[in-house]
Amino acid sequence: VQLVESGGDSVQAGGSLRLSCEASGSAASSLYMAWFRQAPGNGREGVAYIAINGGTDYTHSVAGRFTISKDNAKNTLYLQMDSLKPEDTAMYYCAADQWAFGLGNAYRYWGQGTQVTVS
C-alpha cells in the first residue's frame, strides 16, 4: 500500500486547510486509516481515525475542529481542519492498515508527510 499526502500549507490562526491522502495498492474501503502529526521535538501523535464502517475518533485537542472522511470511490482520505491554532503546526502523516489500530501508531503503511504551519 502506498500513501501520498497533499494539501499542507502555511495559514493564519483561525484559518482552514484540507489535507488529502491518496492510497494505491489496496482499496481504501478495506483499510483502517488515520492521520498523525509530529511537531519538532515531539513524538508522533494520533489526530484522527476512521474505521472501515465509517466510525471515527479524534484526539481531544482537535475534536470539534477537525473532520476525517474517506472517499472510497477515489481511494482518498481527507482531513478537514478548521479553526486552526499555532499549536496545530506539524508534519501531518497519513497511515493505513488492514487491522484497526485507532489512534495508536502501529500502522504498517505510512505516507511521506505534508507540512502544516499556522501562525
Side-chain angles (χ1 to χ4, degrees), residues 11-106:
V11 297
Q12 292 189 339
S16 297
L17 280 176
R18 188 176 81 157
L19 305 183
S20 299
C21 171
E22 185 172 356
S24 59
S26 181
S29 58
S30 64
L31 295 172
Y32 295 89
M33 302 185 77
W35 287 98
F36 288 77
R37 66 186 180 187
Q38 187 167 19
N42 291 352
R44 191 161 51 190
E45 173 191 27
V47 174
Y49 160 75
I50 187 165
I52 289 175
N53 66 0
T56 59
D57 192 20
Y58 300 89
T59 193
H60 178 73
S61 62
V62 309
R65 299 189 297 120
F66 290 10
T67 303
I68 189 171
S69 62
K70 186 170 56 160
D71 186 332
N72 290 329
K74 295 183 178 180
N75 251 25
T76 301
L77 177 74
Y78 301 100
L79 184 68
Q80 177 66 41
M81 305 187 294
D82 298 318
S83 302
L84 282 162
K85 303 176 180 180
E87 51 263 45
D88 295 319
T89 295
M91 184 71 78
Y92 282 72
Y93 299 90
C94 169
D97 206 294
Q98 286 84 1
W99 296 94
F101 294 110
L103 296 177
N105 62 6

